[in-house]
Amino acid sequence: MCSSASPLWEVLTNRSSVSEFILLGFSRDSRTNVILFSLFLSLYLSTLLGNGLIVTLIHLDSRLHTPMYFFLSVLSLLDMSYVTTTVPQMLVHLVCHKKTISYVGCVAQMYVFLVLGITEGWLFSVMAYDRYVAICYPLRYKVIMSPWLCGAMVIFCGLWGVSCSLVYTVFTMRLPYCGPNEINHFFCEVPAVLKLACADTSLNDRVDFILGFILLLIPLSFILASYIRIFIAILRIGSTQGRIKAFSTCASHITVVTMFCGPAMFMYMNPGANASPERDKKLALFYNVISAFLNPIIYSLRNKDVKRAFLKVTGLGRIADYDL
């Protein structure tokens, strides 16, 4: 597992002459910022509402107390935390003249963002394994995916996030930053901050590529291997209806993984010299905000269990039965 050779305290007490950073965000035009504020505020509130609703439904409906929905609830909690790390500050900067963040605040935001992102990336591989066991070993599913194993796998994902994020953050913020202090981004993300370093960043580019390989390609390999086995098992199912049902349980997960991992891989495995600030902001917006907003829609839109739980909790199910 990844570990850091330098303590985080050395980063927080770095002797850089820069004490704060300015986040340039998306636009300097006040009218454009008002429009963006309204858009991102609605996306943020919808993300909290959608993911919060999924967590609540899974907690209240005993029929959703299964490994698949346990992992889905963890994903929803991560998504809510993920967007909260960046979006509230972005909203403030869109309507306020002052767009600064302290050096320590930048370090903290970078670290928390990476912890949540890395944890979520590995959680996707765990969710793929869960689907593999459910489809390939349905009779042994509850025995294999025991509560102890599910909890242990989530803790494993979290430990990867905590330890490897420390490496990312320390290697980035150990460099001297002596000005300028304008970050062409809407939050303190590693590639954007590195461009302001007053030192050679070639080592950081290599470290970022290696960590990107470990934290993105390895989980994706696990996911790919799981789904190859799943598709082989689905093709062996005799009935067409059975194949469609089995595939539909995996389609949502494949969509979410693609939306999250594709942009993140392009961002963190691309050399810093080839990076475009405007492109990076759009990519970060997609895997940070848009994917978190779409996740509850994708997972619940075709999910009869979630719809049934919603009708049960809200009491609308009894009304529907009465109308019928």
Side-chain angles (χ1 to χ4, degrees):
M1 203 174 287
C2 298
S3 60
S4 173
S6 303
L8 189 59
W9 177 251
E10 291 183 10
V11 170
L12 295 175
T13 57
N14 190 7
R15 295 180 180 178
S16 296
S17 60
V18 172
S19 60
E20 65 179 15
F21 295 100
I22 299 173
L23 295 168
L24 298 181
F26 294 97
S27 174
R28 295 180 184 270
D29 182 68
S30 58
R31 292 183 179 179
T32 303
N33 285 339
V34 170
I35 296 173
L36 291 176
F37 176 85
S38 302
L39 175 62
F40 291 139
L41 178 61
S42 61
L43 283 175
Y44 177 60
L45 295 178
S46 299
T47 299
L48 295 183
L49 178 63
N51 285 285
L53 181 61
I54 284 182
V55 173
T56 303
L57 293 176
I58 292 173
H59 175 73
L60 294 178
D61 194 329
S62 58
R63 288 177 295 185
L64 300 182
H65 293 176
T66 63
M68 182 180 77
Y69 290 109
F70 168 70
F71 294 132
L72 180 56
S73 66
V74 174
L75 177 64
S76 293
L77 289 172
L78 286 173
D79 280 338
M80 288 190 290
S81 304
Y82 204 39
V83 294
T84 302
T85 305
T86 60
V87 175
Q89 175 191 258
M90 177 180 65
L91 293 173
V92 172
H93 287 176
L94 284 171
V95 295
C96 294
H97 179 71
K98 188 177 182 181
K99 305 178 187 296
T100 59
I101 183 173
S102 67
Y103 180 89
V104 174
C106 186
V107 173
Q109 184 184 57
M110 181 184 297
Y111 179 70
V112 173
F113 179 83
L114 287 169
V115 168
L116 296 170
I118 293 171
T119 301
E120 185 164 325
W122 277 92
L123 181 66
F124 286 136
S125 64
V126 170
M127 295 173 75
Y129 176 74
D130 171 71
R131 292 297 83 209
Y132 160 70
V133 175
I135 293 175
C136 297
Y137 303 98
L139 299 179
R140 298 175 56 197
Y141 176 63
K142 291 185 178 180
V143 176
I144 296 175
M145 299 301 294
S146 65
W148 182 89
L149 179 62
C150 292
M153 288 193 291
V154 170
I155 293 173
F156 170 81
C157 295
L159 290 176
W160 267 101
V162 168
S163 57
C164 291
S165 297
L166 192 60
V167 177
Y168 262 122
T169 306
V170 169
F171 266 85
T172 301
M173 304 309 290
R174 69 181 178 84
L175 298 172
Y177 294 89
C178 43
N181 66 337
E182 293 185 340
I183 301 175
N184 193 1
H185 212 304
F186 62 93
F187 71 100
C188 288
E189 190 165 31
V190 171
V193 175
L194 278 176
K195 293 179 181 179
L196 303 182
C198 305
D200 180 30
T201 61
S202 57
L203 175 61
N204 292 78
D205 290 338
R206 289 194 291 271
V207 170
D208 289 352
F209 182 84
I210 293 171
L211 285 177
F213 180 85
I214 295 173
L215 301 173
L216 289 170
L217 291 185
I218 292 181
L220 282 175
S221 298
F222 290 154
I223 293 171
L224 181 62
S226 297
Y227 277 106
I228 289 174
R229 296 292 301 273
I230 287 172
F231 290 142
I232 292 174
I234 290 176
L235 292 176
R236 293 174 180 170
I237 297 176
S239 66
T240 303
Q241 185 177 359
R243 291 180 184 178
I244 294 174
K245 183 178 179 181
F247 180 76
S248 64
T249 62
C250 305
S252 300
H253 183 247
I254 294 173
T255 304
V256 170
V257 169
T258 303
M259 287 194 311
F260 180 86
C261 293
M265 186 185 306
F266 198 80
M267 173 83 82
Y268 282 90
M269 297 189 70
N270 197 35
N274 299 330
S276 165
E278 297 307 315
R279 183 206 65 195
D280 287 353
K281 281 187 280 189
K282 293 174 184 177
L283 287 172
L285 188 65
F286 195 85
Y287 68 74
N288 176 218
V289 181
I290 305 300
S291 64
F293 166 73
L294 292 177
N295 282 355
I297 299 175
I298 293 171
Y299 277 111
S300 62
L301 194 60
R302 298 175 58 189
N303 192 311
K304 294 181 180 179
D305 293 332
V306 174
K307 291 180 181 177
R308 190 182 299 114
F310 176 77
L311 294 174
K312 175 184 176 183
V313 170
T314 58
L316 296 175
R318 290 191 296 270
I319 297 175
D321 293 339
Y322 179 77
D323 291 339
L324 292 173

